[in-house]
Amino acid sequence: MEIYTIGFTQTTAEHFFGRLKAAGVKRLLDVRLNNSSQLAGFAKARDLPYFLHELVHASYQHDPRLAPTTDLLDDYKKRKGDWSLYERDFMDLMAKREIERLISPEEFEVPTALLCSEATAERCHRRLVCEYLSQYWPNVRPIHL
C-alpha cells in the first residue's frame, strides 16, 4: 500500500500540484492541525479543494486526528524542543488515539497523499503517521513527494 506525503513550503504551486498529478494522487489528506493560516498561501484549506479539483482531479479531506496537539507542536517548534522527544510523544499520541482503528486501509485504495507544511518528510509528522500505520497495516510504503 503506497501512501504519498507532501509538504507545501519552499515550493511553488506549479511544482506542488505537478508532483501530485505526476504521482497519480486522487485524494489529499490534510494532516495539519491548522489548515487555514494566511502563511499557507496556495495551501489554505479554503482554496485547496478548488485547486486540487481543477489541476489534479483529486479530492481534499482534512483529518486533524492525524495531527499533533497544539502543546506538542508548540513544545517542538516555538520552544525549540528536541526532535527525538517530539517523535516519541507524537507516536504515543497516535497510539493513544488508536488511529489504526479510526481510519482503515481501504481509504488508501484511492491514491492518497498526506499533506503537511514541512518541505521534507525527514522532520515532519506525516512521515511518522506512515511509520505508525506500518506497524499495523501490512505493506505500507511511504513515498515522499
Side-chain angles (χ1 to χ4, degrees), residues 6-21:
I6 192 166
F8 67 84
T9 58
Q10 300 177 14
T11 191
T12 63
E14 179 181 10
H15 189 237
F16 175 83
F17 292 107
R19 286 182 288 162
L20 292 171
K21 189 172 188 173

Side-chain angles (χ1 to χ4, degrees), residues 65-66 90-104 132-133 136-137:
R65 299 174 300 180
L66 303 179
F90 183 75
M91 294 298 255
D92 288 347
L93 177 64
M94 295 292 94
K96 187 178 191 177
R97 289 178 177 169
E98 296 183 310
I99 66 164
E100 73 279 5
R101 295 177 194 256
L102 295 176
I103 57 176
S104 74
Y132 180 85
L133 291 175
Y136 298 94
W137 299 350

Side-chain angles (χ1 to χ4, degrees), residues 4-32 35 40-45 47-53 55-61 112-120 124 126 143-145:
Y4 298 91
T5 80
I6 192 166
F8 67 84
T9 58
Q10 300 177 14
T11 191
T12 63
E14 179 181 10
H15 189 237
F16 175 83
F17 292 107
R19 286 182 288 162
L20 292 171
K21 189 172 188 173
V25 169
K26 295 299 174 197
R27 178 176 76 130
L28 188 72
L29 184 57
D30 190 339
V31 297
R32 295 176 290 173
N35 65 354
F42 63 83
K44 288 190 290 277
D47 297 325
L48 270 175
Y50 172 78
F51 290 139
L52 288 165
H53 176 73
L55 301 172
V56 184
H57 308 291
S59 64
Y60 171 82
Q61 183 181 349
T112 298
L114 304 181
L115 168 71
C116 197
S117 60
E118 298 296 328
T120 66
C124 183
R126 66 183 189 264
I143 300 172
H144 306 295
L145 301 176

Side-chain angles (χ1 to χ4, degrees), residues 68-77 85-86 89-90 93:
T69 62
T70 301
D71 287 342
L72 188 59
L73 199 55
D74 286 351
D75 282 347
Y76 176 65
K77 294 238 180 201
L85 295 177
Y86 174 84
D89 292 346
F90 183 75
L93 177 64

